[in-house]
Amino acid sequence: MEVRSENSIQVRSDKFPSTVIPRTRLQVWFFRVCSSILLWTCLVHIVAVAELWHPRLLTGFTSRISWITRPPLRLQHSLHSPPPLVPSRYYRSNGFLKVSCNGGLNQMRAAICDMVTVARLLNLTLVVPELDKKSFWADPSDFEDIFDVRHFIDSLRDEVRIVRRLPKRFSSKYGFEAFQMPPVSWSNEKYYLEQILPLFSKHKVVHFNRTDTRLANNGIPLALQKLRCRVNFQGLKFTSQIETLGLKLVRILQEKGPFVALHLRYEMDMLAFSGCTHGCTVEEAEELKRLRFVMFEADRYAYPWWREKEIVSEERRQQGLCPLTPEEATLVLQALGFTKETQIYIASGEIYGSERRLAPLRAAFPRIVKKETLLDPAELQQFQNHSSQMAALDFMVTLASNTFIPTYDGNMAKVVEGHRRYLGFKKSILPDRKKLVELLDLHQNGTLPWNDFALAVRQAHEKRMGQPFHRRIIPDKPKEEDYFYANPQECLCEGTGCEDVLDPGKSSKVTMTAGEQL
């Protein structure tokens, strides 16, 4: 009689016809684990294949097991997993919009946001924008050298269809010539719908050969204003090379404590552009004048007024139209309460006059650093002679800084100001240059003592530190209005409490003292 227990297994052989060997608990456990793993692996593969064939078929079931099959959020980021694609917006395209952006990095950045918005309004297919290569800066960078083009296309696919290049049938190789034109500056929705859209039914491809400030600051539907923000804050992502080095710069600075990003726009191109020569030698003033005409020849459309009149530097300075000099910036920083211990990052290119002009600033603030001093030359080599890529590194640092101070309200200053508002109204001290020039001259000629000068500077900037406020609207004078990208108020809050946030009378007062300098 053969007896078998639950935990036994029968083994037969010629030598032992019928031998019963007891199972151990370890063998049972091992068998069950292996079986479970095998079954679970098969299940996961079946689900994956099923989702490829019919993505919606197993939605309910896969959601129940997603917590197992999907890695935690932090792990996803560490593995650089791409975010899930948003559903494409299907629409009948009215044609292809080709654009050539002009200017520096941040002027082109704003233009790209505007052009995506125009494409959405007119139901167009947008070709990845071309970047300026013909201006004075002569930067050979293409869009994909600065921005993550795949992310740009994918992140906006629910709004606009974006392609890398025109279809072959619209190539000049096949004799096709796109209709070229610069849209009218500061134009609203009505202009694009009534005057631009009909052009596509005739030409199929329209090429905007200038894109700076071609969309109005105000009078644009809320949905389009929010799209401008979405492109700017989410769609335009720097390449991995730029982001990696930019984050390294930020990490180095933050490890040394809080820091100020000083956008010292005392560079050769800006001085030539503005006609400002305060503090320069006679020889330097002549050099800048010659350069101004070189820039005019490089881009006649941008500066047509340069040959119409002689620029008087001191008049422009008194009107607040000149960037602060390094010497002026030194006094202003000291008046605002910054001390020798303050870490200052110079966000700019080569300062005109080099170390000679930086000497007073460096003497007052020994902890001055630049990307060139924080990084190994080999790390910056790939970005040399690419001014827009170098500007992208500075852009990342200015966003991360504890305090941002621009010495001129150019495109970078405005775009960074608006981005810092979007990030939670981070402190940005925006110099009132017209008032500052008046105070600086009074102090330097001995009329205004230091304590009175410092107090006046602080009082003049109490409400110029990036607090919430409404954009200024000036009917029929769009150039004098507040710039949309400096204060994208439509994108800074949600819900019915927005008026409370944007009302300057209700915003918290920021007082600048030596003890609260950052």
Side-chain angles (χ1 to χ4, degrees):
M1 178 176 173
E2 183 176 68
V3 180
R4 300 183 183 178
S5 66
E6 182 180 353
N7 293 323
S8 65
I9 183 170
Q10 187 174 20
V11 179
R12 298 180 181 274
S13 67
D14 294 338
K15 188 174 182 179
F16 303 103
S18 181
T19 305
V20 177
I21 303 175
R23 275 183 173 177
T24 65
R25 290 186 178 182
L26 182 61
Q27 289 174 316
V28 173
W29 177 85
F30 182 75
F31 178 77
R32 289 175 178 174
V33 169
C34 291
S35 300
S36 299
I37 292 174
L38 180 61
L39 289 172
W40 185 249
T41 302
C42 293
L43 177 63
V44 170
H45 280 79
I46 290 171
V47 169
V49 173
E51 283 191 322
L52 287 174
W53 289 340
H54 301 287
R56 298 182 181 179
L57 186 63
L58 299 176
T59 301
F61 177 71
T62 55
S63 64
R64 295 186 181 92
I65 64 170
S66 62
W67 64 276
I68 297 175
T69 59
R70 186 183 304 144
L73 185 60
R74 289 184 180 179
L75 180 57
Q76 289 183 54
H77 288 318
S78 67
L79 296 175
H80 302 286
S81 300
L85 291 178
V86 292
S88 295
R89 172 174 171 258
Y90 292 101
Y91 60 95
R92 181 178 179 181
S93 176
N94 290 318
F96 290 88
L97 175 60
K98 185 178 179 181
V99 298
S100 295
C101 302
N102 55 293
L105 173 66
N106 290 284
Q107 181 172 305
M108 293 191 292
R109 184 187 186 101
I112 293 166
C113 299
D114 287 351
M115 293 302 103
V116 171
T117 305
V118 170
R120 174 63 175 83
L121 170 66
L122 304 183
N123 284 331
L124 303 172
T125 298
L126 177 69
V127 182
V128 169
E130 297 175 349
L131 302 189
D132 194 344
K133 295 182 177 64
K134 298 180 180 179
S135 66
F136 168 78
W137 299 276
D139 187 336
S141 300
D142 291 318
F143 185 97
E144 56 267 28
D145 296 321
I146 300 174
F147 301 108
D148 185 334
V149 66
R150 186 73 262 163
H151 174 81
F152 177 68
I153 294 172
D154 290 344
S155 65
L156 298 169
R157 67 202 298 262
D158 60 331
E159 294 282 1
V160 179
R161 190 177 305 142
I162 304 174
V163 296
R164 291 177 181 262
R165 57 189 65 85
L166 285 169
K168 289 183 178 180
R169 66 182 184 276
F170 296 124
S171 170
S172 57
K173 180 180 178 181
Y174 294 91
F176 181 84
E177 292 293 335
F179 178 75
Q180 295 194 38
M181 63 169 292
V184 175
S185 298
W186 315 110
S187 296
N188 59 19
E189 178 187 26
K190 182 179 179 181
Y191 165 79
Y192 283 100
L193 287 171
E194 295 181 359
Q195 298 190 43
I196 300 298
L197 182 57
L199 295 174
F200 287 90
S201 60
K202 179 180 180 180
H203 301 286
K204 303 303 178 184
V205 179
V206 175
H207 181 189
F208 289 168
N209 50 19
R210 297 191 66 79
T211 57
D212 56 319
T213 61
R214 304 294 148 162
L215 193 60
N217 292 310
N218 304 293
I220 304 296
L222 179 61
L224 294 181
Q225 296 287 56
K226 287 184 175 293
L227 177 56
R228 294 169 90 176
C229 293
R230 179 179 168 188
V231 182
N232 189 23
F233 304 134
Q234 300 172 30
L236 288 176
K237 181 176 179 290
F238 292 129
T239 63
S240 59
Q241 293 88 346
I242 292 174
E243 282 207 339
T244 299
L245 201 56
L247 290 173
K248 181 176 180 178
L249 273 171
V250 171
R251 185 177 68 253
I252 292 171
L253 287 161
Q254 290 178 338
E255 287 174 352
K256 298 178 180 179
F259 69 97
V260 173
L262 178 66
H263 186 218
L264 191 58
R265 196 66 171 93
Y266 199 76
E267 300 158 299
M268 180 181 284
D269 64 288
M270 174 48 62
L271 298 179
F273 171 83
S274 61
C276 297
T277 58
H278 181 73
C280 294
T281 65
V282 175
E283 293 76 16
E284 288 173 334
E286 284 299 318
E287 180 184 34
L288 292 171
K289 185 176 181 179
R290 288 194 299 271
L291 178 61
R292 183 160 63 251
F293 287 106
V294 171
M295 295 175 71
F296 172 86
E297 293 297 334
D299 196 342
R300 292 170 178 266
Y301 291 103
Y303 324 113
W305 49 274
W306 277 0
R307 286 192 174 179
E308 296 174 7
K309 63 179 181 179
E310 187 73 18
I311 297 176
V312 181
S313 173
E314 196 54 36
E315 286 183 5
R316 292 183 64 81
R317 178 174 175 270
Q318 294 297 328
Q319 295 167 0
L321 300 177
C322 291
L324 295 177
T325 68
E327 297 87 352
E328 290 171 338
T330 301
L331 293 173
V332 171
L333 289 171
Q334 290 175 322
L336 288 170
F338 295 98
T339 67
K340 284 181 173 289
E341 287 70 39
T342 304
Q343 182 181 200
I344 298 179
Y345 176 86
I346 303 294
S348 71
E350 180 66 27
I351 300 302
Y352 190 61
S354 195
E355 285 300 317
R356 175 178 62 84
R357 296 303 298 273
L358 276 178
L361 185 62
R362 196 177 294 282
F365 302 100
R367 298 185 65 196
I368 284 181
V369 294
K370 299 186 294 183
K371 53 184 173 292
E372 291 82 1
T373 60
L374 294 175
L375 298 172
D376 188 279
E379 295 177 290
L380 283 173
Q381 186 174 2
Q382 61 179 314
F383 303 109
Q384 295 295 337
N385 302 318
H386 295 81
S387 57
S388 292
Q389 295 183 48
M390 295 287 269
L393 296 174
D394 284 339
F395 184 87
M396 290 186 65
V397 176
T398 57
L399 291 188
S401 65
N402 300 84
T403 305
F404 171 62
I405 306 176
T407 60
Y408 186 77
D409 58 351
N411 287 294
M412 178 167 177
K414 291 175 180 177
V415 173
V416 170
E417 175 192 347
H419 209 130
R420 288 174 66 86
R421 290 180 184 277
Y422 178 78
L423 294 174
F425 300 100
K426 300 179 71 174
K427 184 181 290 185
S428 302
I429 303 178
L430 311 171
D432 182 343
R433 294 191 308 282
K434 187 174 182 180
K435 182 66 175 178
L436 284 174
V437 165
E438 176 188 342
L439 294 174
L440 285 162
D441 288 347
L442 288 173
H443 171 63
Q444 290 179 319
N445 66 22
T447 306
L448 190 64
W450 173 258
N451 289 340
D452 294 337
F453 168 74
L455 178 61
V457 170
R458 289 196 293 270
Q459 289 177 340
H461 293 85
E462 282 183 346
K463 295 182 179 180
R464 298 178 64 89
M465 297 193 181
Q467 299 100 322
F469 69 91
H470 283 283
R471 266 197 324 273
R472 180 181 52 169
I473 300 175
I474 306 177
D476 303 322
K477 292 185 178 180
K479 291 184 180 181
E480 298 178 26
E481 293 182 330
D482 288 340
Y483 190 42
F484 172 81
Y485 292 100
N487 185 16
Q489 61 190 39
E490 296 88 341
C491 314
L492 303 182
C493 59
E494 298 287 346
T496 57
C498 286
E499 288 303 314
D500 293 338
V501 173
L502 295 172
D503 188 339
K506 296 180 181 179
S507 64
S508 58
K509 182 178 179 181
V510 180
T511 303
M512 192 64 173
T513 66
E516 298 176 323
Q517 58 186 337
L518 295 179

